[in-house]
């Protein structure tokens, strides 16, 4: 199944017109291509690029993220694209078709770069990923990322690890060339997927408090430092229930929840956002990849002594076959409390991480997790699930570490 | 993939001999086909059918379940089988092959009967299920069971609902005939799958305390009313963390956990069994079916005022397609606490029920569940998961019920 590539956005203008009509029925004016150039917080007034001024009583900031742009000559060449918004997506798809692209070069092997390689593959286009680390998706443990690398290779995606892009220029055998510290690659298109950062430009210009993460600081009602200004989604921070820190994790599900919380508060039905545990997932061809909570490095930073283990096994019972899965658990040495989990597998990785996300939410320890009651049947797990096996192994590791 | 039917147990005697050898190395004597006829608890002695006596200091009862046998003439005819143990499975498989069976009649449309119909179907054998209720798998809500019925029909399994088997006799066009209150069906083989009950015959003969469920009563260390006698698995009770009652839910994962807990206590490393939440699942062709916690009837029995809702949707994001899933949630009206959940779907039902099983374990309420942080990505869920949608719908239903 193609992933983000297809004919979803066939008739953009019609779609926009219809959407605007619908909102109008509810008395909501939707303005598109309306770039906000300034906000006067004392007057309660926003100013658009076309000088139009619109007054507000309450303002919601949902400015999202901006793509991180590496410092690289040649970024302005035709065929070099960022991955940020719908316009980028439409431009990329148009270009791919018009140029009848056969090979795409992707700078960045995080999960967005990986997802792009899968999407391109399913559209019959080869991909080369150029990544600064040896393994992809560095949020995951190396043992788990190694499985992702195998999956990339099995599906004909070239992965150049430990490789830094140096410049982009016109190619010889193809329109574009990326020179790296390890040689060069040529292709029809270059995608920059080295990450995103919260877009807090407007917020800063308004004097809103910005958190340590660079994202807009909010309270549990999604209010910024100005009482009548709310911020939601990728541009603002979220309370991390495990690290007990304000973090910026730009994901669509978090944005949806924050939007709803802000709407409830603005509409007079107060609600606070209870925060996140860092749950996330992506698909890489036949692999489910998911993670939650914090990793060892983050645990150390906030003062825990993390102990971890990786359990390898099958997502289903032996009588049903073998579907490889690896599950890493991280716990606090002194309390045994679960701090994080990462899973990669041919089945069931997301389901396991969701169960463990709820366990993190509730503050469970490894002893409880070792004996959790899960919905066992052979097509979906062994009688001891890999969650149990991993938790019990970690329990033993903690006992051993305590001596 | 064939389900429980295949060539798993090819060389039973070799397997048994090898297993015995392995245990012997650890000083453990495994006796098979050794029927225990009596236990002298004052002497600490068990007696086998062959009059052999074996002394014990500590005894573990793991007698499992006995099949419920309906009161039906013809049960002793060749080709009529119970579903209880390995011997039954071998006998059924042998019979299916030797008689080149083409149609099997199954009495009972619980999840074991349903699983059998799938197993037979994948072995190229037609199945007719005769069930006393209108819909299969009555642990699940009728709306969800209706989806199971559709799935049976789509796969050519005949389901005779609201039908009572009256007698079994030799058939005309096939070896066996079941007469029902709605006509008759003929087939090569009859499977009795109307349920199981804890096998507490020996326990009763020893004077062990038996719980209200008919299963052996145990404490949290898996000890029975006799200090040196433990009971584990399907023959004993488990503490239900939601209903706060001792229940008997005969499932392999619970049995494994109890066995381990008993072993730990016997071996001098004390551990208590924290109980269950009633998580269970089965596969029916392309459907994942799973449930956890208690249903409305059980909730009422223990004094709750249950409010419930069923959410229908897709297990994956719209951009990735549509995989139908239904999720029922039951919560307590006064506290909003989750009491149970049931899901049936083409994907992700087991994963959702596992996450909700952890929520039940932790005693979460609907408000928390409405905003749980789950590992969102389009191949695995919408930005709002069906868990969130169902919980929010239930929240509104509770508000409405409170008036």
């Amino acid at each position: 199944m193609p992933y983000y590539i297809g004919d979803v956005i066939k008739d953009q203008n019609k779609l926009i017109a219809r959407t605007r009509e619908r909102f109008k029925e509810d008395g909501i004016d939707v303005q598109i291509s309306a770039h906000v150039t300034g906000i006067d917080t004392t007057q309660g007034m926003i100013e658009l690029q076309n000088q139009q001024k619109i007054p507000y009583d309450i303002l919601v900031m949902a400015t999202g993220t901006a793509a991180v742009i590496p410092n690289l000559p040649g970024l302005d060449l035709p065929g070099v694209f960022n991955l940020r918004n719908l316009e980028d997506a439409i431009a990329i798809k148009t270009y791919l078709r018009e140029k009848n692209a056969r090979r795409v070069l992707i700078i960045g092997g995080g999960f967005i770069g990986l997802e792009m390689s899968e999407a391109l593959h399913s559209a019959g286009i080869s991909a080369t990923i150029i990544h600064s680390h040896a393994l992809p998706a560095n949020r995951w443990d190396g043992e788990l990322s190694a499985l992702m690398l195998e999956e990339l290779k099995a599906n004909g995606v070239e992965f150049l690890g430990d490789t830094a892009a140096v410049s982009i220029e016109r190619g010889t055998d193809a329109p574009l060339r990326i020179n790296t510290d390890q040689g060069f690659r040529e292709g029809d298109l270059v995608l920059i997927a080295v990450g995103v950062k919260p877009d807090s430009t407007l917020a800063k210009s308004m004097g809103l408090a910005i958190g340590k993460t660079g994202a807009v600081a909010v309270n549990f009602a999604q209010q910024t430092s100005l009482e009548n200004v709310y911020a939601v989604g990728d541009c603002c921070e979220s309370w991390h229930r495990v690290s007990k820190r304000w973090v910026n994790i730009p994901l669509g599900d978090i944005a949806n929840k924050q939007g709803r919380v802000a709407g409830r508060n603005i509409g007079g039905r107060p609600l606070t956002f209870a925060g996140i545990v860092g749950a996330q997932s992506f698909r890489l061809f036949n692999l489910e990849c998911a993670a939650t909570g914090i990793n060892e490095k983050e645990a150390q930073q906030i003062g825990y002594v993390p102990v971890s283990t990786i359990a390898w096994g099958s997502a289903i019972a032996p009588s049903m076959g073998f579907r490889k899965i690896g599950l890493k658990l991280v716990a606090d040495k002194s309390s045994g409390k679960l701090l994080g989990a990462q899973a990669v597998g041919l089945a069931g990785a997301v389901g396991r991480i969701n169960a463990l996300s709820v366990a993190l939410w509730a503050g469970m320890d490894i002893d409880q997790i070792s004996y959790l009651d899960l919905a066992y049947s052979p097509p979906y797990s062994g009688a001891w699930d890999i969650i149990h096996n991993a938790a019990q192994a970690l329990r033993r590791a903690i006992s051993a570490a305590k001596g």
Side-chain angles (χ1 to χ4, degrees), chain A:
Chain A
M1 204 184 321
Y3 197 165
Y4 295 136
I5 288 196
D7 295 310
V8 179
I9 315 139
K10 251 185 193 157
D11 225 328
Q12 205 198 351
N13 289 332
K14 263 193 197 164
L15 185 69
I16 291 169
R18 220 184 311 139
T19 307
R20 289 191 67 176
E21 277 312 305
R22 255 190 230 158
F23 274 103
K24 222 171 205 169
E25 287 167 20
D26 291 333
I28 298 165
D29 177 33
V30 176
Q31 302 226 9
I32 62 160
S33 304
H35 191 70
V36 176
T37 49
I39 296 173
D40 180 344
T41 57
T42 47
Q43 296 281 326
M45 190 76 77
I46 67 169
E47 190 174 330
L48 302 184
Q49 202 162 23
N50 65 4
Q51 262 100 55
Q52 194 193 340
K53 288 185 179 183
I54 306 175
Y56 69 82
D57 296 317
I58 291 171
L59 184 68
V60 179
M61 310 283 297
T63 49
T65 58
V68 172
I69 309 296
N71 186 12
L72 220 57
L75 286 176
D76 52 347
L77 286 171
V80 180
F81 293 94
N82 294 318
L83 296 164
R84 160 68 176 81
N85 54 27
L86 192 58
E87 282 68 32
D88 294 328
I90 293 166
I92 291 166
K93 286 164 72 170
T94 306
Y95 198 91
L96 285 171
R97 256 178 233 164
E98 284 178 359
K99 305 291 177 183
N100 193 23
R102 307 216 155 256
R103 173 163 294 277
V104 170
L105 309 178
I106 301 169
I107 300 181
F111 80 86
I112 294 292
L114 297 177
E115 285 181 332
M116 283 306 302
S117 76
E118 183 190 324
L120 291 162
H121 180 270
S122 66
I125 300 166
S126 304
T128 294
I129 296 173
I130 297 166
H131 191 50
S132 54
H133 293 82
L135 291 165
N138 307 107
R139 169 79 185 74
W140 278 257
D141 188 279
E143 264 193 56
L144 301 174
S145 292
L147 198 61
M148 299 180 200
L149 183 55
E150 273 179 39
E151 187 70 7
L152 286 175
K153 283 181 181 164
N155 288 281
V157 175
E158 186 184 31
F159 183 85
L160 304 179
D162 274 336
T163 303
V166 173
S167 66
I168 305 172
E169 57 182 26
R170 289 188 198 280
T172 311
D173 297 327
L176 290 166
R177 169 188 295 198
I178 299 180
N179 296 305
T180 79
D181 56 1
Q182 314 270 339
F184 69 88
R185 283 293 181 284
E186 294 197 349
D188 302 291
L189 198 108
V190 171
L191 297 178
I192 310 290
V194 295
V196 292
K197 58 186 176 196
D199 187 348
S200 46
T201 318
L202 262 180
K204 280 175 191 158
S205 79
M206 296 160 64
L208 295 183
I210 304 294
K212 282 183 190 167
T213 63
V216 182
V218 290
N219 65 16
F220 294 107
Q222 297 301 132
Q223 273 173 313
T224 68
S225 53
L226 280 176
E227 204 184 354
N228 67 335
V229 179
Y230 290 75
V232 299
D234 296 359
C235 72
C236 75
E237 296 188 325
S238 304
W239 176 248
H240 198 302
R241 296 171 62 93
V242 181
S243 68
K244 311 278 193 264
R245 285 184 170 185
W246 289 93
V247 298
N248 175 250
I249 299 181
L251 290 172
D253 57 330
I254 300 173
N256 268 275
K257 291 182 185 109
Q258 293 177 331
R260 192 172 188 132
V261 168
R264 282 276 303 258
N265 288 305
I266 294 167
R269 293 207 299 137
L271 185 66
T272 53
F273 183 47
I276 63 170
V277 296
Q280 52 195 280
S281 69
F282 68 95
R283 188 182 69 192
L284 185 62
F285 297 97
N286 297 304
L287 276 188
E288 294 188 12
C289 309
T292 190
I294 58 177
N295 62 22
E296 287 146 301
K297 200 174 146 192
E298 292 162 330
Q300 272 164 350
Q301 279 168 0
I302 56 172
Y304 285 114
V305 178
V307 181
S308 75
T309 189
I310 299 184
W312 287 97
S314 173
I316 63 176
S319 60
M320 304 302 292
F322 185 81
R323 310 287 298 274
K324 191 174 186 174
I325 187 171
L327 175 63
K328 175 173 184 165
L329 296 183
V330 181
D332 170 44
K333 186 178 159 185
S334 71
S335 65
K337 252 179 98 160
L338 182 71
L339 297 175
Q342 301 160 23
V344 175
L346 291 169
V350 172
R352 263 77 174 190
I353 289 300
N354 279 340
L356 292 167
S357 294
V358 182
L360 279 173
W361 186 283
M364 286 188 186
D365 64 28
I366 286 296
D367 283 352
Q368 286 178 293
I369 293 164
S370 294
Y371 284 83
L372 276 176
D373 187 14
L374 302 171
Y376 160 64
S377 69
Y380 309 115
S381 70
W384 290 104
D385 190 74
I386 192 147
I387 288 179
H388 302 123
N389 294 336
Q392 288 172 13
L394 186 48
R395 204 181 179 281
R396 290 190 293 272
I398 290 175
S399 295
K402 284 185 177 174

